[in-house]
């Protein structure tokens, strides 16, 4: 079976997935988004290597995506399928309804403190993913032999947990696919998000006439809740802007060092406080690797400890992995944010610079 790792060919096939007719549910988009993020965080040293994706990790990412999207918008739970039903949405919204710790906090707290409940949801979602969207994702046409271009799905479509275990509880991205996905992620992620916003708007026509900012609701960073992390960071590391060292008196911003739009990580290891000027000048740009290194050099133990104190995820390892993946797959010359109004281009990055 041909496994194109030519970025253009793979990109075209992925775009074909999102253009392939009207979706009746957003499952495939969720799986694709999760795969993109995991690819960025799993970039191997050898670009031609086949890369395993743990199905439990993939499932957790899909739950994370829906969890955020299922917070009410103007009091409404948005539909994620044409008829408003579906095993995965029902399982996640049921978890939201029954979980007692999430109202002021996030999914990570439910994972930590209501682990049995979370595990049950996770099992249902994983089973459903293997049975349908993971099996159907690469089906670009109706009938006929398909060229699988991401991973071998021949054993999927099953409800059997034994079958999943027999296959190592993982899917394996074909040689070269992981790096190609990571390289394409900055192009594909916004395209998938647009398609997702479009689907949700269509599936919720009756609720969304007034056109609230649906894209922000589904994919934006939650600025309000970040302030709690900002307070903890200020207490521990001081009131100066992380980037320019200006003392912050009133306008304190909480900034994602690796941009939220790129990696979707709001663990403490990826958060700093910054001044208005740096925050708006940096925007969604990739920061100079030195900034990421400094953020991580605050120390894993310190960040993990602080995170535990305020019941916030730390996600140190995810920042480390995503930083490695992002910088090692950027073409030379990519614009890099050094500081306020100071953009340079990325040189060759020593991918061991986190070591
Ligand atoms: Zn600043």
């Amino acid at each position: 079976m041909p496994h194109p790792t030519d970025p253009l060919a793979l990109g075209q096939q992925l775009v074909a997935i999102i253009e392939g007719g009207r979706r009746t549910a957003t499952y495939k988009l969720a799986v694709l988004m999760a795969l993109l993020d995991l690819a960025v965080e799993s970039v191997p040293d050898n670009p031609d290597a086949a890369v395993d994706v743990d199905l439990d990790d993939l499932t957790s990412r899909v739950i994370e995506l829906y969890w955020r999207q299922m917070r009410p918008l103007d009091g409404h739970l948005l539909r994620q399928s044409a008829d408003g039903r579906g095993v995965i949405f029902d399982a996640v919204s049921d978890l939201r309804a029954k979980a007692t710790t999430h109202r002021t906090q996030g999914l990570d707290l439910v994972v930590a403190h209501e682990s049995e409940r979370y595990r049950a949801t996770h099992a249902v979602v994983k089973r459903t993913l293997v049975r349908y969207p993971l099996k159907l994702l690469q089906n670009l046409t109706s009938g006929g032999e398909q060229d699988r271009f991401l991973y071998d799905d021949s054993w999927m479509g099953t409800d059997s947990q034994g079958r999943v275990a027999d296959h190592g509880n993982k899917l394996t991205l074909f040689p070269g696919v992981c790096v190609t996905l990571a390289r394409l992620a900055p192009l594909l992620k916004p395209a998938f998000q647009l398609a997702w916003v479009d689907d949700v708007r269509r599936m919720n026509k009756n609720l969304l006439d007034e056109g609230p900012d649906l894209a922000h609701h589904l994919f934006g960073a939650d600025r309000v809740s970040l302030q709690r992390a900002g307070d903890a960071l200020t207490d521990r590391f001081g009131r100066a802007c992380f980037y320019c060292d200006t003392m912050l008196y009133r306008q304190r911003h909480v900034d994602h060092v690796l941009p939220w739009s790129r990696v979707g990580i709001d663990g403490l290891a990826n958060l700093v406080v910054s001044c208005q000027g740096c925050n708006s000048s940096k925007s969604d740009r990739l920061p100079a690797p030195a900034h990421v290194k400094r953020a991580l050099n605050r120390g894993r133990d310190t960040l993990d400890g602080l995170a535990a104190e305020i019941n916030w995820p730390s996600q140190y390892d995810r920042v480390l992995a995503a930083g490695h993946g992002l910088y090692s797959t950027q073409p030379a010359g990519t614009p890099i944010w050094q500081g306020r109004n100071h953009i340079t281009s990325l040189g060759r990055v020593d991918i061991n610079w986190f070591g």
Side-chain angles (χ1 to χ4, degrees):
M1 238 176 272
H3 307 147
T5 49
D6 165 30
L8 188 58
L10 191 69
Q12 284 169 327
Q13 277 164 312
L14 289 166
V15 169
I17 294 178
I18 58 175
E19 287 180 340
R22 287 201 149 191
R23 282 169 294 277
T24 53
T26 56
Y27 289 136
K28 284 187 186 176
L29 292 169
V31 168
L32 284 169
M33 293 269 290
L35 276 176
L36 278 186
D37 281 349
L38 285 167
V40 169
E41 293 171 36
S42 311
V43 168
D45 289 334
N46 170 9
D48 297 325
V51 170
D52 291 340
V53 172
D54 184 277
L55 289 176
D56 287 326
D57 290 345
L58 183 70
T59 301
S60 302
R61 298 304 173 94
V62 168
I63 294 175
E64 249 177 64
L65 281 164
Y66 282 124
W67 179 268
R68 290 175 49 78
Q69 300 194 353
M70 284 181 175
R71 66 197 194 285
L73 178 65
D74 300 338
H76 300 291
L77 172 66
L78 296 178
R79 288 178 163 196
Q80 294 275 353
S81 66
D83 62 2
R85 303 192 55 78
V87 177
I88 292 178
F89 326 125
D90 291 351
V92 178
S93 71
D94 192 50
L95 180 67
R96 259 200 101 95
K98 287 185 180 149
T100 52
T101 50
H102 80 273
R103 291 183 203 291
T104 52
Q105 330 273 356
L107 177 60
D108 51 293
L109 274 198
V110 177
V111 177
H113 300 299
E114 302 180 60
S115 56
E116 213 158 301
R117 186 169 271 155
Y118 178 76
R119 266 204 302 276
T121 304
H122 189 278
V124 170
V125 173
K126 182 165 91 173
R127 212 162 48 231
T128 310
L129 287 175
V130 171
R131 180 143 190 211
Y132 301 110
L134 283 171
K135 175 72 178 173
L136 300 174
L137 194 65
Q138 300 169 87
N139 249 335
L140 296 185
T141 59
S142 50
E145 264 304 291
Q146 298 298 320
D147 278 342
R148 307 302 182 219
F149 51 94
L150 297 170
Y151 52 86
D152 175 21
D153 59 14
S154 60
W155 60 273
M156 294 178 179
T158 178
D159 222 1
S160 153
Q161 295 181 53
R163 195 95 194 272
V164 174
D166 287 347
H167 285 83
N169 193 46
K170 64 183 178 7
L171 60 82
T172 303
L173 295 172
F174 290 134
V177 166
C178 180
V179 168
T180 305
L181 287 179
R183 288 176 62 194
L184 289 171
L187 297 170
L188 290 176
K189 214 169 150 176
F192 293 162
Q193 289 182 350
L194 277 177
W196 199 331
V197 169
D198 233 43
D199 282 2
V200 170
R201 197 173 287 286
R202 181 165 42 78
M203 290 162 185
N204 296 276
K205 267 197 187 115
N206 52 332
L207 302 178
L208 298 173
D209 287 346
E210 296 307 310
D213 187 352
L214 190 55
H216 188 267
H217 179 75
L218 297 179
F219 299 109
D222 191 348
R223 299 282 165 202
V224 177
S225 78
L226 289 177
Q227 292 312 317
R228 201 159 57 81
D231 291 343
L233 291 168
T234 308
D235 285 349
R236 180 63 56 96
F237 302 109
R239 295 198 69 83
C241 170
F242 178 78
Y243 300 109
C244 72
D245 226 22
T246 300
M247 224 9 125
L248 303 169
Y249 294 105
R250 278 181 303 151
Q251 284 216 310
R252 182 197 70 192
H253 290 258
V254 179
D255 184 67
H256 293 88
V257 181
L258 294 175
W260 170 262
S261 61
R262 288 291 192 95
V263 297
I265 299 176
D266 58 16
L268 213 55
N270 195 38
L271 298 179
V272 296
V273 294
S274 82
C275 69
Q276 159 74 28
C278 288
N279 186 254
S280 63
S281 149
K282 178 168 172 277
S283 186
D284 286 339
R285 294 186 170 98
L286 269 189
H291 291 310
V292 186
K293 188 168 183 172
R294 261 188 328 115
L296 290 170
N297 281 349
R298 292 177 293 177
R300 181 198 295 265
D301 291 346
T302 307
L303 290 164
D304 287 356
L306 189 57
E309 277 171 32
I310 62 165
N311 272 328
W312 195 277
S314 169
Q315 298 180 316
Y316 188 96
D317 286 321
R318 271 183 73 176
V319 176
L320 195 62
H324 174 271
L326 279 180
Y327 292 103
S328 64
T329 55
Q330 296 302 309
T334 298
I336 289 294
W337 187 85
Q338 297 282 355
R340 223 177 313 164
N341 306 319
H342 183 198
I343 309 289
T344 59
S345 57
L346 183 66
R348 274 188 60 85
V349 175
D350 172 4
I351 55 171
N352 294 317
W353 49 263
F354 287 110

